[in-house]
Amino acid sequence: HYGPACLSPCRKLPVLHIFGQQPLDVGRCAEVFRELYPERQSRVVVLSDVVYAYAMGELEQQLCPEYPNVVFSQLVCGEPPSPALLGEVRQLGRRFRVEAGEGLQDWAMFYVGAEGLALTNFMLTWNRCPFSSFDPSTGQGRRETLNVNRALMRRLYLVERARDARVVGILVGTLGVAGYLEVLQHLRQLLRRAGKRSYTLAVGKPNPAKLANFPEVDIFVLVACAQNSLLDSSDFYRPVVTPYELELACNPARDHEHPPGGCHALHGGCPCLCACAYVELPPAMPEAEAVPDVSLITGEMRAAHLGDPPAAQLPPSTSLACRDQNRALAEISPAASFLESRSWRGLEQQLGKTPVSKAVQGRRGIAIAYEEEG
């Protein structure tokens, strides 16, 4: 894999990462670090873009003699998952270790790299830590002023939209990241228990034009890697959320203390799809005992409870039909039949209907100044 990567583990094929090496003035970076953190006992975790990882060892040699509490993160790529050590943090393809029993709320984050999705994911994931950065292209450092609270409020708004949704589209945004099948299975089970209908859609890279073809869907959940899961859905016809946000909306056992950020998802193991610890679904509650809930968006009442899991039983005889000449039986889904009837047409040949014309000479020049335009 050449170039920037999300460092998601792939269990189907072995992957060799070639990140490349962008130029970095290590001396200037150390100087900016000293300006931002004049206190020598500061607790700082140093993160970097993958294209500058090659120079972190030299930067560590310059800073560690002066700063005893500075921790440098390491890239996690191409390694089989192993149990985390005591005090070790593994998220977003990075690994670093702090003292056991201490939280990250007392640590600051220093990022080496340009502004982008990687920095945004870091800031939303560790949203209680102050961030600063050094941009190697400009040689300048700054304290990051991204309004994390506003971004988190936007994500919590999407959680509320997910609670109101009745039809959910599960977008398969990856086919190689380890654990994506388990995430899909969990999302389907979660939505069934919550009384919501779900449809699994493989549309490649999502864009507003593609998702607008499914107006019946109230909200989409994107199962993808770290660099593709957190989308700005303001341009989309329907919102796009992460699996963790859908988990917050539909799983009453999920702790709401930590707001959604980055690509948090469901199970332990994968650092991208499975950043948060798995929380078992609570037992089903009778509908009569369900606690009523009021939507903060529409103001309507809704029942916030999980129903009994669907029992495994054979479909009724009316839903069976012959599929081929071998008399194979297939289950007919009305919703699937409706979506199958959809068709999209592009350019049609119109053979025999278009009059034949001779080729003519077109314009010459470039778009801002053709020759005949003077």
Side-chain angles (χ1 to χ4, degrees), residues 68-316:
N69 296 324
V70 170
V71 175
F72 279 76
S73 64
Q74 298 178 352
L75 302 182
V76 180
C77 57
E79 300 179 4
S82 58
L85 301 176
L86 187 62
E88 187 178 41
V89 178
R90 292 184 184 180
Q91 280 185 305
L92 300 176
R94 305 303 191 275
R95 175 178 61 193
F96 55 89
R97 189 174 182 181
V98 297
E99 296 182 8
E102 292 185 357
L104 288 176
Q105 62 271 10
D106 297 330
W107 290 74
M109 300 289 181
F110 179 74
Y111 177 74
V112 180
E115 182 180 356
L117 284 178
L119 179 58
T120 302
N121 279 330
F122 286 145
M123 296 185 67
L124 290 179
T125 300
W126 298 300
N127 51 74
R128 299 184 179 181
C129 303
F131 268 78
S132 60
S133 67
F134 172 75
D135 190 346
S137 61
T138 61
Q140 301 296 323
R142 67 178 184 181
R143 298 191 182 277
E144 292 298 329
T145 57
L146 173 66
N147 193 339
V148 177
N149 291 332
R150 183 176 180 180
L152 293 178
M153 288 174 61
R154 170 64 181 172
R155 309 311 300 183
L156 292 175
Y157 165 77
L158 295 179
V159 172
E160 195 68 18
R161 289 289 300 269
R163 291 195 181 101
D164 292 341
R166 297 182 180 180
V167 180
V168 179
I170 303 176
L171 302 177
V172 183
T174 179
L175 297 177
V177 176
Y180 83 96
L181 289 177
E182 289 79 2
V183 174
L184 291 177
Q185 181 180 0
H186 179 86
L187 291 178
R188 295 190 188 105
Q189 178 187 5
L190 179 66
L191 293 171
R192 285 197 300 266
R193 293 280 303 275
K196 302 179 185 295
R197 288 180 294 166
S198 65
Y199 300 97
T200 304
L201 308 172
V203 295
K205 186 175 181 180
N207 59 51
K210 289 181 181 178
L211 301 189
N213 291 317
F214 306 97
E216 298 83 8
V217 176
D218 296 326
I219 199 168
F220 295 94
V221 53
L222 176 60
V223 179
C225 63
Q227 294 190 1
N228 295 320
S229 63
L230 195 61
L231 296 180
D232 182 10
S233 58
S234 58
D235 295 333
F236 287 79
Y237 182 67
R238 291 286 188 265
V240 182
V241 300
T242 63
Y244 180 75
E245 291 161 349
L246 187 68
E247 176 88 355
L248 279 179
C250 300
N251 189 354
R254 170 65 67 177
D255 184 11
H256 289 235
E257 178 183 358
H258 302 287
C263 59
H264 293 324
L266 307 174
H267 306 282
C270 170
C272 292
L273 284 175
C274 314
C276 292
Y278 172 71
V279 176
E280 188 69 29
L281 295 176
M285 179 184 300
E287 187 174 358
E289 301 178 6
V291 179
D293 188 18
V294 178
S295 171
L296 299 180
I297 298 177
T298 63
E300 299 178 355
M301 295 289 294
R302 63 189 178 196
H305 71 286
L306 292 177
D308 295 321
Q313 59 181 2
L314 294 177

Side-chain angles (χ1 to χ4, degrees), residues 333-348:
S333 170
S337 300
F338 173 74
L339 292 178
E340 188 178 9
S341 64
R342 294 275 189 88
S343 62
W344 293 270
R345 297 183 179 180
L347 296 178
E348 299 182 6

